[in-house]
Every structure is written in C-alpha cells, then in structure tokens.
C-alpha cells in the first residue's frame, strides 16, 4: 500500500470520522471514502469556500496565508487543510 | 356666537335643522364671475416647421419577454481510475498529506476526541424544560369512563380509536359477548339489534354523540388518515363496512356539554324544555359494504389504510399514488387470507353487468351520502393472498399485520418538545378541513378522477410485512404475488421468516412510532421485540407472565415504553431503559380482561390512554408526566439498547458456530480414540489377554490362600503370607 493510502487510512480510523477526501486544486476529487454524489458536493462547495477564506485572509494581510479551516456545525465538524495543489477534507462527528 | 339667559348657563343646548331658503337673509351668497384683470391673451407662438416629402408611419410588435425558468444540466468533472492511481504515486500528494496530517488534521481530530469545546454546559444541565406535576407520581390517573347504559345486552369492546383531529372524541366498536354456539343460537335476536360504533365525547359520559350502524358486529375499524370523516370497519362475517360522516361533522366538532351535567340557575318546567338535538344520538347507516361472495369468509381481524404515498395493483407491484388520498385498504381475516381493497370505482370488465344493475336499482335512503355507492354490495378485493403453510394443506390464520409504510400518525423528527410529534398530521388535516369548507372539492367525492392518471412504479419499495397468527407465530412475508410456474396462477410467496415465540394467539403486532424497523409482538403470556432485518430471532423475548396478556400498545412519546393489558384487568407498563426482564409498573384498571389499549396525545400537557375492557366499559386515564415525557437522548439510548441486543444476537450466532466447531472437533477426537483402540494387532491383544489371565490366577491364588483352602507352596516364604 502506498503512503498516501496509509495516511488516509490512519485519518479515517480516528474516532468519529465520518469521511475523508482529497481534492485537487480545481475541486475534482482524487480520493474519497464517501459515495460519489456526496463527495462531489462536498468537493465543489468546500473548494469555493476555501478559496474565499484564503482570499479573505490574504486581503487583510498579504503576508498571511490560510493554513487550516474548521467549520463547526450542529451535527459535525468539517476540517479543510488547503495547499497549493490539493485540499484535504475530513468530516468528524465530535460528540457521540 | 350665541347668547342665552344667565339662568340657562351650562344647561344642555338643543340644536335643530331648518331650511336656509325659507327665511329671508338667512345666508349670504358669493357667486363666481369672470374677472377681467386676470385674463391674458396669447399674442405670440413659437413653433418649428419643416417640410418633408413623405410621411411614414412605422410600428412594430415587440415580443413580450416574461420570466421563464431555465436550467442547466451538468455533471461534475471527475478523474478516471488511471489518473487517480497516478495521483496515488505522486510525490507532491504524499508530501502534502504527510505535512498536513501531522501538523493540522490529526491535532484537530484529537482535540475533538478529547473534548467537545462547544458544549453549552448550562443548557445541558437542565434536563427538562419544567416539570408539570409531581415527578414521583407514576400512576395512570382515572379521568373518565364511558359505558353504554342504553343497550341491554352484554357487550364487549373490540376496538378503540381516537378521532384524529377533534379533541376529546373517541370511537369504540362494541360486539356482543357470546361464544360462537350462542351466536348461532340467538342469531334471530341478534339480527334485531344493530351493531354499533359509538362516538364518545369527554363532555358527555352518558350519551354517545354518534352511533354508526353496521350489518354485523365490528371487530376492527380505522379512521381514514386523510379524511377523518371516512371510517372503515371489518365485521365478524367478513364484510367491510364504510361510513361517511361528512354531513354530521359539524355536530361532533362543536359538542356542547350535555344539559344533564350543568345546573341551570332557572329551572324550567319539563314541558318547556326544548329537545336538544345534541342529546339525541344519531344513528348513521353505513354507506357501503363489500361483496359477500368475493370478500372474506370469516371474521376480519385487522384492517389498515395503505399510506397515501403509494398504491398497489393486482400483482402487488407498488406504484406512486397520484391522488393525495388514502384509497386502498388491506385486511386480514380468520379465513387465512389477506386482501387488498381499493375504494375507487373499478372499470367494469363486462358491460352486461351494468345493465343488470340498472334494472334492480336499490333505493338508498335519502340521508346516506353517495360517496361509495359504486362499492355497495359489489365491492371486490383487488388481490387476495392465501397464506398456505407450504407443502401441507394447512394455512396460517393471521390476526394482525404491520406494514412497513404504515401511515404513521406520529413523526419522530421532534426534538425536545416531544408533543409536537402529533401536530404535523393534525395541522394537515385541519388545513384540509378548512379548505374543504371554503368550497374546494372533497377528493373523496370525486374518486374517479384519480384513476385516469397513469401510474409510475416505485422501485426499491419494501413489500414485506410482519404478521401475527393465531398459533402464536410471527411471520415476515412478502405481499407481492408471483406466478406459479406449474399452474400459471398468481400465488403468494412463501414467508421469508417464521418464528414461533408466543404460546397463544398474537394480538398485537405494532411498529414503534420512533423506529421504523422495530416491531412489538404480544401474544399468549409473553412479549417479543423484533428488528426488521435481524433474522436470528427477537431482540427481546420476555419470560412468561403470571397472567395472559390480552392487548398492548407502544407509548407515543417515550421510545422505550409500552403498555400491555392483562386478562385480570391489570396494565403492565414496560420501560426498556429501566428493566427488560419484567414490567416497570403494574396498575389495576378494572376487574375483567382488558381488550384494547390506545394512547393518544391531546395537547402538549395532556396525554391520555384509553383502555377498553371485556364488560364494555371504556376507561380513559391520564398518563403522568414521567411516563409521557421522554428524557433527553431517550431515542438514542433506546436505539443503543436495540443495537446492543442485535450485537448480542450476533454474538450468540457466532458462539453457536464456534460451539458447533468445537463439538465437531470433539467428535473427531472421540472417533480418533476409538480408531486407535481398534488398531491394536492380534498379538498385542493376545498378550494382553494372557496378562489379564495371569493376573486373575494370582488373584485366585491369594484369595484361596487367605481362605486357607490351599496349602502354601514351598516357594513362597513364610514372611510373604504374613
């Protein structure tokens, strides 16, 4: 198994993690543990949101950059780790 | 300005009118006239003039653009499998993932695992909004009871149903308390008495508000979920009876308290009292009965309306229901069949029959609504399922059924305010009612319209349902028919699962209002809870109770609570979160067998339970706060309990397998040992036999020496003998 698979498996095995996905810079999913329609939806929406968040941070301070984005909702928490080329999205249910 | 005598100062003034033109100089007129000072004559005018060769008149008709809905169909971009594989090898992705997971993601995940930082501790501290009443009070309180005092024969209550929308109205079906032989013997007398469904209101415990007449004793009845003025009931002779009480709906909606209860300040003499129309109970005749030859042959034990989201055809295939009303029924009967019925007019296959009907037109009394006239006496079931027991000629005798898409009157999307569960349907019905009063068409008056639409089949619809039988079996089977390859006839499928857990007839099969796949079955002396999909057995099977269980119902608001009625008039209240091996509470209600239990939520504060007993009395009790209000996370806790039970069953299955394996291994060992003993060669056996014989000789010698019968040989020394 490749290192990529191992890392993703490790993340997925954390308690409460509902799904994990890796998306490229354009919002096209590369790896996912959820079904296709959900993945596509999450990828599209979160990609746009991450772009917006990043531009917000950089507008305020051009030397700054977005490192991590956590969205807490009633039901679960969505964590987005952005990069120049990829996006890692993890959805976790924090309280059982 | 007016002036008066001093003495009249402050006294009221009286004004009056009179005509101004009748008195001279009573008014001064200012008439209008043209004033020469203000008229100006226009002396100059400035106008542009151009000479043109031709005059053209052009006009165009413009297209009016109106807003239109436009849409784009798209599909998302995706990578192919090879590209995805390529990514798996790329170094940049590996680096990114390592970096990100180490620095941010895993830390964040662990943070969430350790503690939920966004919990509002203050909110979570308070479990309930506020308790009404004593928390320690856990008993059902008597609220009211209803008995029909007018009828002389001894009756029992067979079925109870609360009116879906009207507060405080409950309908009860009564039947005579006779055994079959007695029924046959007194059949003449029974024909004279009408069989009734009584409508009781909280405001009048002595006089029923409405009485619905039926040709024979009703054993089960239901209000139509989409129109509470339509009631359908199953009789003891196998007929289905329908009533339409739309005309009397006003009567029961505004029920005034009966005159006998209120004490009037002024007592009128008897002959001046007007006959109050409320006091006279109205007898309402049924408006349709099913055909006697084609329907059931024995008592109908259970009847349900099919949900208005689907309908089925003759083969049992499921289609979308375009008319938004419940128009199909399912009944099961002691003649071992389950029938599906449609209340809409079916297209007659042979035109001759319609002509025949015209000749013998039955005169219907004027006050019967003609909603279901097309069904009267000619109503045939859509499909009939015969429940045979496989190879034998015996058949299952169903007592109760529970379909998966039952029109739940309770939706469990409510959160903490558990009592909003009942409002969605009630609001829908009340809104419908209002709409109908305004003047819209009642869909039930126009049933034919629904038939014209072509039906769209629904895929992935579960056509399986649970059924309880008289022998105490719980059967999980399919209602879709299949063609028998040999005879080409339509046949019911064989049951998917059959379980025998109860020692007596199963009288309750009910889905939990909170979980779509949890079913409660009560019969004989014990209770069982099943989960749809778990085939190894029930999740919970109680041990035998001291008294027979005769009725039962889930609680409407607490997911782990259900009520069971016993044959000695006690009601057992089970709480799965408290105890699972026995009921949490037991309370005496009456002196005789409880025949039916039906809880109902009337308002946010009041939840009642209607308990019918064998002697024909209907008891209404109020459910205390503790039994009606669920604790926080109760749904999740009970769900957890069920999942634990499922796991337990799986564990038991696993252990069974392991035990089987162990048993097999043990058997093998024993076999091997046996084989080993047989493999001894002939010489060995002979040597062994010789040894045994030598031992025996020795033994014989020593015994005889001890007895003194043999002289000791010289070889043996004296010391040995001692």
């Amino acid at each position: 198994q490749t290192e990529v698979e191992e890392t993703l498996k490790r993340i997925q095995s954390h308690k409460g993690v509902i799904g994990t996905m890796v998306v490229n810079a354009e919002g096209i999913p590369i790896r996912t543990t959820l079904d296709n329609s959900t993945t596509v939806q999450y990828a599209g929406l979160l990609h746009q949101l991450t772009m917006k968040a990043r531009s917000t941070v950089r507008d305020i301070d051009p030397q700054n950059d977005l490192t991590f984005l956590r969205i807490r909702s009633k039901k679960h928490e969505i964590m987005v780790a952005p990069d120049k080329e990829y996006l890692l999205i993890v959805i976790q249910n924090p309280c059982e | 300005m007016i002036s008066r005598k001093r003495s009249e100062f402050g006294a009221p003034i009286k004004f009056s009118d009179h005509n101004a033109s009748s008195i001279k100089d009573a008014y001064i007129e200012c008439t209008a006239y043209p004033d020469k000072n203000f008229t100006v004559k226009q002396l100059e005018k400035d106008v542009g003039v151009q000479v043109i060769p031709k005059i053209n008149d052009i006009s165009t008709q413009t297209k009016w653009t109106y807003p239109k809905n436009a849409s784009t169909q798209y599909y998302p971009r995706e990578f192919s499998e090879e590209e995805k594989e390529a990514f798996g090898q790329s170094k940049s992705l590996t680096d990114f993932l390592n970096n990100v997971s180490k620095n941010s993601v895993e830390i964040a995940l662990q943070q969430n695992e350790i503690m939920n930082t966004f919990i509002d501790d203050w909110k979570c501290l308070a479990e309930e909004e506020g308790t009404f009443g004593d928390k320690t009070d856990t008993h059902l309180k008597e609220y009211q009871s209803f008995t029909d005092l007018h009828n002389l024969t001894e009756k029992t209550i067979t079925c109870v149903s609360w009116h879906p929308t009207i507060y405080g109205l409950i309908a009860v079906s009564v039947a005579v308390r006779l055994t079959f032989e007695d029924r046959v013997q007194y059949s003449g007398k029974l024909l004279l008495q009408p069989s009734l469904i009584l409508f009781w209101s909280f405001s009048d415990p002595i006089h029923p508000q409405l009485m619905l007449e039926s040709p024979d004793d009703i054993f089960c009845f239901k209000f139509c979920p989409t129109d509470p003025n339509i009631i359908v009931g199953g009789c003891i002779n196998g007929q289905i009876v329908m009533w339409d009480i739309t005309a009397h709906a006003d009567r029961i909606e505004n029920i005034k308290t009966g005159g006998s209860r209120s004490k009037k300040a002024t007592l009128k003499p008897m002959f001046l009292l007007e006959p109050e129309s409320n006091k006279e109970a109205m007898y309402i005749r049924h408006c349709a009965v099913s055909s006697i030859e084609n329907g059931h042959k024995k008592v109908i034990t259970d009847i349900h309306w099919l949900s208005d989201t689907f309908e089925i055809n003759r083969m049992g295939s499921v289609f979308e229901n375009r008319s938004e009303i419940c128009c199909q029924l399912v009944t099961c009967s002691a003649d071992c069949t389950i029938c599906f019925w449609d209340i809409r007019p079916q297209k007659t296959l042979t035109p001759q029959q319609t002509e025949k009907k015209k000749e013998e037109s039955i005169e219907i009394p004027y006050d019967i609504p003609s909603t279901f006239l097309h069904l009267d006496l000619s109503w045939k079931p859509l499909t009939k399922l015969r429940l045979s027991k496989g190879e034998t000629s015996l058949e299952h005798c169903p007592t109760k059924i529970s379909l998966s898409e039952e029109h739940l009157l309770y939706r469990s999307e409510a959160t903490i305010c558990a009592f909003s569960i009942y409002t969605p349907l009630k609001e829908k019905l009340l809104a419908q009612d209002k709409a109908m009063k305004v003047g819209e068409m009642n869909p039930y008056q126009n049933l034919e319209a629904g038939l014209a639409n072509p039906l769209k089949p629904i895929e992935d619809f579960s056509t399986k349902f649970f059924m309880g039988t008289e022998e105490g079996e719980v059967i999980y089977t399919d209602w879709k028919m299949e063609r028998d390859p040999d005879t080409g006839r339509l046949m019911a499928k064989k049951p998917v699962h059959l379980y025998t857990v109860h020692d007596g007839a199963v009288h309750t099969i009910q889905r939990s209002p909170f979980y779509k796949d949890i079913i409660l079955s009560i019969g004989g002396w014990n209770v069982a809870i099943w989960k749809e999909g778990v085939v190894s057995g029930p999740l919970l099977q109680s041990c035998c109770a001291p008294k027979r269980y005769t009725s039962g119902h889930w609680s409407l608001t607490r997911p782990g609570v259900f009520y069971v009625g016993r044959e000695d008039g006690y009601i057992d209240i089970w709480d799965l979160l408290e105890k699972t091996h026995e009921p949490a509470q037991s309370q005496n209600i009456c002196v005789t067998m409880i025949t039916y239990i039906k809880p109902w939520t009337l308002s946010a504060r009041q939840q009642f339970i209607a308990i019918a007993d064998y002697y024909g009395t209907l008891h209404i009790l109020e459910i205390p706060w503790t039994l009606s209000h669920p604790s926080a996370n109760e749904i999740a806790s009970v769900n957890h309990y069920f999942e634990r039970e499922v796991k337990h069953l799986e564990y038991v299955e696993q252990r069974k397998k392991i035990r089987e394996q162990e048993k097999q291994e043990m058997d093998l060992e024993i076999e091997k040992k046996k084989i080993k003993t047989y493999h001894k060669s002939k010489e060995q056996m002979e040597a062994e036999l010789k040894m045994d014989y030598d031992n025996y000789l020795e033994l014989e010698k020593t015994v005889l020496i001890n007895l003194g019968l043999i002289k000791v040989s010289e070889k043996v020394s004296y010391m040995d003998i001692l």
Side-chain angles (χ1 to χ4, degrees):
Chain A
Q1 271 186 343
T2 58
E3 232 182 300
V4 166
E5 307 286 338
E6 273 182 42
T7 316
L8 287 176
K9 223 182 187 173
R10 203 176 62 238
I11 295 177
Q12 180 69 22
S13 62
H14 273 265
K15 182 172 151 215
V17 171
I18 300 169
T20 314
M21 62 190 88
V22 180
V23 169
N24 84 337
E26 292 177 317
I28 309 175
I30 298 170
R31 287 273 188 283
T32 175
T33 59
L34 299 170
D35 59 282
N36 201 23
S37 48
T38 320
T39 306
V40 149
Q41 192 177 27
Y42 268 103
L45 293 167
L46 287 169
H47 173 252
Q48 290 179 27
L49 184 64
T50 314
M51 293 300 119
K52 190 72 177 179
R54 174 182 272 145
S55 66
T56 308
V57 169
R58 288 178 74 101
D59 274 354
I60 293 171
D61 179 2
Q63 311 270 333
N64 207 353
D65 196 5
L66 179 70
T67 49
F68 200 51
L69 183 64
R70 279 166 93 163
I71 303 164
R72 186 67 172 243
S73 73
K74 273 202 291 202
K75 295 188 186 169
H76 32 246
E77 178 158 332
I78 304 170
M79 288 170 241
V80 181
D83 181 72
K84 229 170 60 149
E85 296 164 34
Y86 306 101
L87 214 63
L88 172 66
I89 301 169
V90 181
I91 306 156
Q92 187 192 30
N93 188 0
C95 41
E96 284 299 325
Chain B
M1 204 160 70
I2 57 168
S3 59
R4 292 195 284 182
K5 277 201 287 192
R6 178 123 218 262
S7 57
E8 282 181 41
F9 248 155
I13 303 170
K14 279 205 197 86
F15 285 122
S16 58
D17 293 334
H18 67 251
N19 199 346
S21 49
S22 56
I23 302 176
K24 216 176 91 162
D25 288 331
Y27 67 98
I28 299 169
E29 212 179 7
C30 292
T31 46
Y33 65 96
D35 191 355
K36 286 203 176 68
N37 299 329
F38 296 98
T39 50
V40 176
K41 196 165 147 187
Q42 188 177 31
L43 296 173
E44 264 183 38
K45 205 171 204 170
D46 194 354
V47 168
V49 172
Q50 185 189 16
V51 176
I52 49 165
K54 232 171 27 168
I55 299 180
N56 252 347
D57 260 319
I58 300 179
S59 65
T60 71
Q61 177 94 14
T62 53
K63 222 178 183 179
W64 172 57
T65 53
Y66 54 92
K68 264 192 284 199
N69 283 334
S71 61
T72 315
Q73 189 157 4
Y74 64 94
Y75 59 91
R77 278 188 294 170
E78 284 174 10
F79 283 128
S80 63
E81 286 299 322
E82 300 88 32
E83 285 167 329
K84 285 191 187 167
E85 288 300 311
F87 268 113
Q89 311 293 331
S90 83
K91 191 170 181 308
S92 58
L93 183 60
T94 320
D95 287 342
F96 159 68
L97 279 177
N98 285 338
N99 190 23
V100 143
S101 67
K102 200 171 57 160
N103 293 343
S104 329
V105 173
E106 302 230 338
I107 294 173
L109 287 172
Q110 275 169 10
Q111 276 175 356
N112 282 335
E113 276 170 46
I114 293 169
M115 190 183 147
N116 182 6
T117 46
F118 291 95
I119 281 185
D120 186 352
D121 291 321
W122 192 241
K123 241 191 216 172
C124 293
L125 198 60
E127 246 213 18
E128 279 130 29
E129 295 133 56
T131 50
F132 300 98
D134 204 3
K135 249 201 171 161
T136 56
D137 176 26
T138 52
H139 274 269
L140 304 169
K141 289 185 285 274
E142 267 270 347
Y143 183 82
Q144 209 162 29
S145 66
F146 298 103
T147 322
D148 192 14
L149 303 165
H150 298 298
N151 274 307
L152 301 166
T153 44
E154 295 165 343
K155 301 241 179 167
T156 175
I157 297 181
T158 50
C159 186
V160 170
S161 186
W162 293 82
H163 195 279
T165 46
I166 300 177
Y167 175 94
L169 195 65
I170 183 167
V172 151
S173 67
V174 286
V176 277
R177 244 187 290 153
L178 296 174
T179 59
F180 185 65
E181 290 89 24
D182 290 336
R183 265 183 200 269
V184 170
Q185 208 178 354
Y186 296 116
S187 56
K189 195 168 92 169
L190 288 174
L191 273 177
L192 296 171
Q193 287 162 12
S195 312
L196 302 168
I197 291 184
L198 306 169
F199 276 62
W200 294 104
S201 161
F202 279 1
S203 52
D204 193 349
I206 303 179
H207 306 279
Q209 300 301 316
L210 281 181
M211 306 219 255
L212 306 181
E213 268 191 346
S214 94
D216 218 334
D217 284 342
I218 301 271
F219 269 73
C220 52
F221 72 96
K222 286 259 157 47
F223 282 93
C224 174
T226 45
D227 184 355
N229 291 322
I230 303 218
I231 300 138
V232 69
C235 280
I236 193 173
N237 61 356
Q239 278 186 308
I240 298 185
V241 189
M242 289 196 75
W243 290 269
D244 182 357
I245 56 169
T246 328
H248 307 275
D250 313 320
R251 246 182 74 107
I252 48 175
E253 264 168 43
N254 316 312
I255 296 172
K256 308 179 196 80
T257 49
S260 55
R261 293 238 288 187
S262 65
K263 289 190 172 71
K264 294 200 182 128
T266 53
L267 290 168
K268 288 190 201 165
M270 275 297 285
F271 52 87
L272 280 181
L273 278 173
E274 289 124 29
E276 291 176 36
S277 54
N278 262 347
K279 276 191 121 178
E280 275 174 34
M282 291 271 292
Y283 283 86
I284 299 176
R285 193 183 165 275
H286 52 88
C287 64
V289 289
S290 65
S291 149
I292 301 178
E293 305 93 39
N294 300 1
H296 288 291
K297 306 280 186 298
K298 288 199 200 164
V299 59
I300 293 181
T301 48
D302 202 10
I303 188 165
H304 290 279
W305 288 90
L306 289 183
S307 163
D308 58 353
T309 50
F310 69 96
E311 58 178 80
I312 67 167
N313 70 351
R314 288 183 197 280
M315 287 282 291
S317 315
V318 177
F319 294 90
E320 239 181 52
N321 183 344
R322 291 296 175 83
S323 47
E324 287 136 24
I325 53 168
C326 286
C327 49
Q328 292 189 328
L329 307 163
V330 57
T331 56
C332 70
S333 146
D335 65 355
C336 308
T337 55
I338 290 180
C339 285
F340 287 88
W341 306 75
D342 197 313
I343 61 175
R344 295 171 297 191
Q346 302 293 319
K347 300 193 184 75
T348 47
L349 296 165
T350 48
Q352 297 152 349
Q353 281 180 0
T354 49
E355 281 174 28
K356 228 191 198 175
K357 261 220 171 282
K358 276 186 196 157
E359 285 166 25
E360 29 167 293
S361 55
I362 307 161
E363 289 256 335
I364 41 161
Y366 68 93
D367 58 345
I368 303 299
S370 59
T371 341
F372 299 111
L373 195 59
H374 52 267
L375 297 171
D376 203 8
L377 286 176
S378 60
W379 195 7
K380 282 194 272 225
L382 200 58
T383 40
K384 209 182 229 191
L385 283 170
R386 189 152 280 277
L387 304 157
S388 51
K389 273 192 199 175
E391 291 86 34
T392 60
S393 61
L394 294 168
E395 293 171 330
H396 295 291
C397 176
T399 45
K400 282 281 185 304
I401 54 179
S402 168
L403 300 165
S404 56
E405 275 278 334
E406 182 76 39
H407 194 107
L408 295 165
L409 290 174
Y410 337 103
R411 298 259 179 259
S412 61
E413 284 119 40
T415 48
I416 296 180
C417 178
F419 302 101
S420 67
I421 288 174
Y422 79 109
T423 45
L425 177 73
K426 183 164 169 172
E427 278 166 8
K428 177 172 167 212
L429 284 176
L430 286 173
Q432 252 184 359
D433 233 14
K434 260 191 222 160
M436 282 198 253
K437 284 192 175 119
V438 165
E440 278 177 21
M441 269 269 253
N442 182 344
Y444 283 98
Q445 308 294 337
N446 190 16
L447 287 168
E448 288 200 25
L451 283 178
N453 306 328
L455 298 171
K456 197 180 85 173
I458 304 180
E459 283 122 50
D460 298 340
F461 195 90
S462 169
T463 51
K464 301 198 175 57
F465 62 98
F466 275 88
M467 177 169 75
T469 66
E470 232 178 271
E471 284 95 40
E473 295 154 345
V474 173
I475 299 177
Y476 185 51
T477 182
D478 201 329
W479 79 58
K480 225 174 166 164
M481 312 263 264
E482 57 182 7
R483 286 213 180 268
D484 189 22
D486 304 322
T487 58
R489 278 189 299 146
L490 286 173
M491 285 210 343
K493 287 190 181 159
K494 269 188 6 184
V496 183
H497 302 292
L498 199 158
Y499 309 96
T500 316
V501 288
H502 297 290
D503 314 308
V506 175
H507 51 72
T508 306
I509 292 254
Q510 213 183 58
R511 289 198 186 234
S512 167
F514 294 89
Y515 312 102
K516 279 216 306 206
D517 51 359
I518 299 284
I519 290 113
L520 174 73
S521 72
I522 307 181
W525 281 265
N526 62 353
V527 169
I529 295 184
W530 310 81
K531 188 171 169 113
E532 200 167 352
V534 170
V535 302
S536 33
L539 296 185
L540 170 76
Q541 188 179 342
S542 76
C543 59
C544 288
K547 289 281 172 188
R548 187 193 272 263
Y549 286 142
T550 49
S551 57
H553 206 283
W554 282 104
S555 160
L556 302 182
T557 46
R558 287 196 62 191
V561 171
F562 55 92
Y563 306 97
V564 187
R566 305 205 314 222
E567 63 176 350
D568 56 355
Y570 275 76
I571 184 166
D572 281 348
I573 303 172
W574 286 70
D575 186 350
L576 291 175
L577 290 177
E578 211 179 295
K579 280 189 251 190
T580 55
H581 61 283
E582 57 173 20
Q585 275 178 266
S586 218
Q587 189 176 339
N588 191 357
I589 309 290
C590 52
V591 296
T592 173
M593 181 170 95
I594 293 180
T595 53
Y596 211 88
I597 295 178
K598 192 89 184 200
W600 195 251
T601 314
L602 264 82
S603 69
R605 311 261 166 88
Q606 286 180 311
Q607 211 187 56
F608 289 104
I609 183 166
I611 297 179
D613 70 17
Y614 188 64
Y615 284 159
T617 312
L618 180 71
H619 306 267
I620 311 279
L621 295 105
E622 192 167 347
I623 299 181
W625 181 263
T626 45
L627 275 178
S628 55
H629 199 86
S631 49
N633 299 326
E634 191 163 317
I635 298 180
S637 314
V638 177
N639 200 21
H640 197 54
Y641 164 74
F642 288 136
E643 280 171 16
R644 273 199 331 257
E645 291 299 321
V646 172
K647 284 203 187 104
H648 176 246
L649 279 174
E650 281 169 11
Y651 173 75
V652 168
E653 283 295 310
Q654 288 290 322
R655 291 300 297 178
K656 266 196 200 154
K657 284 191 198 140
I658 293 175
R659 290 255 172 266
E660 282 258 339
Q661 262 192 326
E662 281 181 6
K663 191 158 178 283
Q664 274 181 354
E665 281 167 15
M666 263 178 58
D667 284 338
L668 272 174
E669 290 276 328
I670 294 171
E671 283 287 322
K672 275 188 198 156
K673 278 192 195 145
K674 281 195 195 147
I675 291 165
K676 271 194 193 140
T677 54
Y678 290 144
H679 278 170
K680 283 191 197 143
S681 63
K682 212 174 169 195
E683 296 87 25
Q684 274 182 311
M685 273 173 59
E686 278 193 16
E688 269 184 22
L689 284 172
K690 195 163 184 314
M691 245 176 60
D692 283 337
Y693 186 58
D694 287 337
N695 283 341
Y696 170 70
L697 285 177
E698 286 287 327
L699 178 67
E700 195 188 23
K701 223 177 171 181
T702 40
V703 166
L704 290 174
I705 287 170
N706 284 338
L707 287 174
L709 294 171
I710 294 184
K711 278 211 183 101
V712 176
S713 65
E714 290 81 29
K715 287 197 189 138
V716 182
S717 72
Y718 183 75
M719 297 309 286
D720 286 0
I721 298 170
L722 288 169

